[in-house]
Amino acid sequence: WTALGTSSHYAIVDGSHSGAVEISVTGPREADLQVTALPMGDDLPRLELSAVKICGANGEFFLRADVSERHGVPVRLSLISWEPLTPGPSPRDGTACRGRLGIGEIEKMFGTCSLPPSGELTSQPIRLAGVSAGCGPVIVKVVGIDAKGRRVPAWAELAP
């Protein structure tokens, strides 16, 4: 994995039966790397997101998303959003290359927002409002909420 400028990378590392996991992160000294490790908990859902960008006939871009739960815990999908992988020179200006769907739109695109334990949902093509050929790589994020009200995210990168 490689990153440029100020960027983030998120990973879920499954633990071992012995309870110990070693993670190695390297970079140039001037990178001032920061790593945060959090225990996920045995009862927390594990979401996975697979995303494919589709070019429509009129040049619009669409997203086909597959969301799966991998830990046997039901989740209610609450948000899908997209944004540039690397912020532009004025990231707070405008909504170019950004968009989001709430629960109502998720229900329309997936047929439901309820993801059963160890289940998978595949979307209809979702129009990527604001995304154009000049946007570069885009990150797609899905957020679910479990029965205890905990937010659980997953990310995927769409190639330019």
Side-chain angles (χ1 to χ4, degrees), residues 7-154:
S7 59
S8 300
H9 177 74
Y10 302 91
I12 295 178
V13 179
D14 286 326
S16 69
H17 294 292
S18 69
V21 175
E22 182 177 324
I23 299 171
S24 175
V25 179
T26 60
R29 290 184 195 274
E30 64 273 7
D32 195 22
L33 295 175
Q34 176 182 336
V35 177
T36 303
L38 302 170
M40 296 293 286
D42 291 338
D43 64 342
L44 192 66
R46 308 284 200 276
L47 289 184
E48 288 185 11
L49 173 62
S50 172
V52 176
K53 185 165 67 171
I54 302 164
C55 185
N58 59 357
E60 287 186 305
F61 291 105
F62 294 85
L63 163 69
R64 172 85 64 184
D66 290 309
V67 183
S68 55
E69 195 288 317
R70 297 290 182 226
H71 203 66
V73 182
V75 176
R76 181 171 172 85
L77 301 181
S78 61
L79 173 74
I80 294 179
S81 63
W82 52 92
E83 63 186 58
L85 173 63
T86 305
S90 302
R92 292 188 185 358
D93 293 345
T95 58
C97 305
R98 299 176 185 275
R100 66 186 319 160
L101 300 180
I103 291 174
E105 295 140 318
I106 291 171
E107 286 179 335
K108 290 177 188 172
M109 294 294 106
F110 287 89
T112 181
C113 23
S114 297
L115 181 56
S118 303
E120 184 173 336
L121 295 174
T122 300
S123 74
Q124 298 295 321
I126 298 168
R127 189 171 79 78
L128 291 170
V131 174
S132 64
C135 284
V138 172
I139 288 292
V140 178
K141 178 173 74 171
V142 63
V143 178
I145 300 173
D146 72 2
K148 294 182 179 181
R150 298 174 294 186
R151 294 168 48 99
V152 184

